Amino acid sequence: MRCYLLAFLLCMVLSFLSLLYVFSQLASTLEDTDGWAAREHGIRDRSSHESGRLLRKMPGLAGLPDRGEGLDRCKSLSVSYWNPYWRLPADVCGVNCLLESSLSERVDSSVKKHSDERSHLAVVACGSRLEETLTMLKSAVLFSKKPLHFYVFAEEELHNSFRDALKSWPRVVQAQFNFTIYHITFPKENEKEWKKLFKPCASQRLFLPLILKEVDSLLYVDTDILFLQPVEHIWALLTQFNSSQLAAMAPEHEEPRIGWYNRFARHPYYGKTGINSGVMLMNMTRFREKFFKNDMTAAALQWEEILMPLFQKYKLNITWGDQDLLNIIFHHNPESLYVFPCQWNYRPDHCIYGSNCKQAEQEGVFILHGNRGVYHDDKQPAFRAVYEAIQKYPFGENMETSLLQPLEASLQTTTHTYCGRSSHLFTKRLKQSITSVQQDITKRR
């Protein structure tokens, strides 16, 4: 009798242990399913910094994952992801989904809220850059067909001037954009050095991911930029980023023989000739989440951690300020940069000694960058002609007769310079932009 009792107890213990094993395996499987589903939808994996990064590509205020549809929690994600106490298979949809109906509403409303078609454009203006900045913003509004949001960082004494000027534009033009004006903001430590690092306030661009925390993606441009085609065309390059890329810029030079970085730089720089930061497209969510490799510490650092030590290390060796710091960072993290062609950031360097931007020769100039003050002196009259044509154009007038034709006449007087001889590249894409705008106006009538 005692033997039967011991055998019975042994069977009970073995059965109990078997059940424990089965449940532990089931729980483990469900956890793996949750993690896989979360990764499929771009949801942060809490287990690590790098592999858990949410790789957002879509632009806008929140940067949703690549999928256009909302999350169906019952089919795409297991309920156990949302509530760890519910261990249900991923396909189960029943009372638990009803219990979470309020959460479902929040997810749906979030998807609707962030279907943002706007292009987000930031600029930093200090000193005498008011009129130049307004001309840049004007060029953005003239040719863009989708709405814009301007983030204007300016010294306090310029705020009212910006506000009054933008509100003085015709109502039909104002309907195309929103704007927000911000104070210039630097870390209190070394604030004066940051402000005077290169051009007045230019290094503000380094801190945009930390200031505009609600903005997922952003196009930063210098004040001396002119758009010759809609902003949404460069904005669309965000969708071409791979999973590791977080910024897009153009090379500093196409021709190494006249390159500055490869001949004179006393610090690391990106690629063969460096990069130019006058036009910088950013996925700022990735900026905030990325851990950057560097030459200061073996540990990778996040954006808010790397700027000050990098500045302290190289401040005696940098000539072009914040652009040099960006070159150093992307030298150590080349996988994070998307390089777009020179036609997106066309400067006097591309024509001053003869044409060396092949993409512009084929398709025209998309974005004109009048660096070194060429809009305001006589060194490069072709650049100045484009600036003055856009600046003087009266809103509402026919663009072909009031903008393009006067510009072409002015450019005819600049052929004594190399850039003047390439000025047909300035108007090639501009003509297409103007024709498209005029056709839209005709249709609306």
Side-chain angles (χ1 to χ4, degrees):
M1 183 67 181
R2 182 176 297 176
C3 291
Y4 286 114
L5 183 59
L6 288 174
F8 176 78
L9 290 175
L10 183 60
C11 288
M12 290 292 290
V13 171
L14 291 174
S15 299
F16 179 74
L17 291 175
S18 298
L19 286 172
L20 284 178
Y21 176 78
V22 170
F23 278 116
S24 66
Q25 291 298 310
L26 178 61
S28 176
T29 302
L30 290 174
E31 286 291 343
D32 291 340
T33 303
D34 292 344
W36 176 87
R39 287 192 297 274
E40 281 292 293
H41 289 278
I43 296 173
R44 185 193 303 276
D45 179 356
R46 299 174 181 85
S47 62
S48 69
H49 290 299
E50 198 64 29
S51 64
R53 216 170 45 229
L54 177 56
L55 298 178
R56 307 184 187 194
K57 290 185 179 181
M58 296 302 290
L61 287 178
L64 296 172
D66 266 348
R67 305 171 191 269
E69 67 275 6
L71 295 181
D72 183 345
R73 296 175 298 104
C74 297
K75 295 180 180 178
S76 303
L77 292 179
S78 69
V79 179
S80 61
Y81 172 79
W82 303 100
N83 189 330
Y85 298 105
W86 292 337
R87 296 300 180 188
L88 297 176
D91 292 332
V92 169
C93 186
V95 65
N96 294 310
C97 289
L98 295 176
L99 290 173
E100 292 181 278
S101 59
S102 60
L103 176 59
S104 177
E105 291 174 2
R106 288 199 295 274
V107 172
D108 292 340
S109 64
S110 175
V111 171
K112 293 175 183 177
K113 177 181 177 181
H114 297 311
S115 59
D116 188 2
E117 294 186 351
R118 293 178 295 174
S119 300
H120 297 253
L121 177 66
V123 64
V124 178
C126 289
S128 59
R129 300 284 180 157
L130 172 66
E131 192 60 38
E132 188 174 84
T133 305
L134 289 171
T135 304
M136 179 276 292
L137 297 175
K138 184 178 182 180
S139 73
V141 170
L142 284 177
F143 309 118
S144 294
K145 297 183 179 181
K146 292 188 176 181
L148 300 160
H149 191 111
F150 299 142
Y151 301 83
V152 180
F153 288 79
E155 293 171 309
E156 187 170 359
E157 54 267 30
L158 296 178
H159 284 203
N160 288 335
S161 298
F162 271 114
R163 192 174 291 109
D164 294 343
L166 293 173
K167 288 184 176 181
S168 72
W169 290 359
R171 288 188 178 181
V172 65
V173 176
Q174 290 187 51
Q176 297 176 239
F177 69 92
N178 295 325
F179 70 92
T180 312
I181 299 176
Y182 295 85
H183 292 285
I184 300 296
T185 306
F186 292 109
K188 292 183 179 180
E189 183 183 0
N190 302 99
E191 180 177 1
K192 292 182 179 179
E193 290 182 276
W194 279 118
K195 188 171 183 179
K196 298 178 180 179
L197 183 59
F198 180 48
K199 295 178 182 178
C201 308
S203 58
Q204 179 74 86
R205 83 185 83 179
L206 296 175
F207 301 95
L208 296 181
L210 307 179
I211 297 171
L212 301 175
K213 294 182 178 180
E214 78 286 0
V215 180
D216 174 72
S217 299
L218 189 72
L219 174 63
Y220 166 86
V221 295
D222 285 346
T223 61
D224 50 10
I225 291 296
L226 292 173
F227 292 95
L228 304 184
Q229 67 171 8
V231 175
E232 55 263 26
H233 288 191
I234 187 170
W235 188 254
L237 294 181
L238 285 166
T239 61
Q240 297 185 23
F241 284 16
N242 65 28
S243 61
S244 65
Q245 291 166 338
L246 50 80
M249 285 178 270
E252 174 68 12
H253 288 284
E254 302 301 310
E255 176 52 66
R257 289 177 295 178
I258 62 173
W260 192 91
Y261 283 107
N262 55 291
R263 292 188 296 160
F264 306 116
R266 296 180 293 165
H267 57 76
Y269 56 89
Y270 178 88
K272 294 182 179 180
T273 60
I275 46 175
N276 184 281
S277 60
V279 179
M280 182 164 62
L281 186 63
M282 298 182 284
N283 183 317
M284 300 209 297
T285 298
R286 295 187 182 182
F287 263 96
R288 291 184 284 263
E289 296 177 349
K290 167 79 175 176
F291 284 79
F292 294 86
K293 300 184 291 291
N294 60 88
D295 57 3
M296 299 172 293
T297 172
L301 300 175
Q302 288 193 289
W303 193 249
E304 68 269 20
E305 301 170 325
I306 198 173
L307 294 177
M308 186 63 69
L310 195 69
F311 171 62
Q312 293 294 344
K313 177 174 181 177
Y314 286 105
K315 65 180 179 180
L316 298 179
N317 296 322
I318 55 179
T319 302
W320 308 110
D322 49 298
Q323 178 173 288
D324 291 346
L325 296 180
L326 289 167
N327 266 280
I328 296 168
I329 291 172
F330 287 108
H331 169 84
H332 294 293
N333 301 270
E335 76 286 350
S336 296
L337 186 66
Y338 178 98
V339 180
F340 49 64
C342 46
Q343 65 203 46
W344 296 100
N345 186 350
Y346 190 94
R347 286 159 278 125
D349 292 328
H350 293 119
C351 56
I352 192 171
Y353 302 116
S355 180
N356 61 41
C357 179
K358 293 181 180 179
Q359 292 84 354
E361 291 173 1
Q362 296 169 358
E363 301 179 281
V365 175
F366 296 169
I367 295 177
L368 197 68
H369 186 177
N371 61 337
R372 303 195 186 106
V374 296
Y375 293 151
H376 312 292
D377 59 31
D378 296 323
K379 294 179 180 178
Q380 297 298 334
F383 280 76
R384 182 170 183 170
V386 179
Y387 175 81
E388 291 181 347
I390 294 175
Q391 181 189 35
K392 295 176 181 178
Y393 166 74
F395 280 117
E397 296 293 323
N398 184 288
M399 284 193 190
E400 291 183 3
T401 58
S402 299
L403 195 164
L404 182 59
Q405 292 177 9
L407 172 59
E408 289 179 325
S410 295
L411 290 174
Q412 289 298 317
T413 67
T414 69
T415 54
H416 61 285
T417 65
Y418 280 115
C419 289
R421 293 170 196 166
S422 299
S423 62
H424 61 285
L425 305 181
F426 298 2
T427 56
K428 186 173 185 177
R429 185 52 62 108
L430 181 62
K431 286 179 181 179
Q432 297 178 23
S433 300
I434 289 175
T435 299
S436 180
V437 170
Q438 293 298 136
Q439 288 175 347
D440 286 348
I441 293 174
T442 302
K443 289 179 182 179
R444 287 198 295 268
R445 289 176 180 172

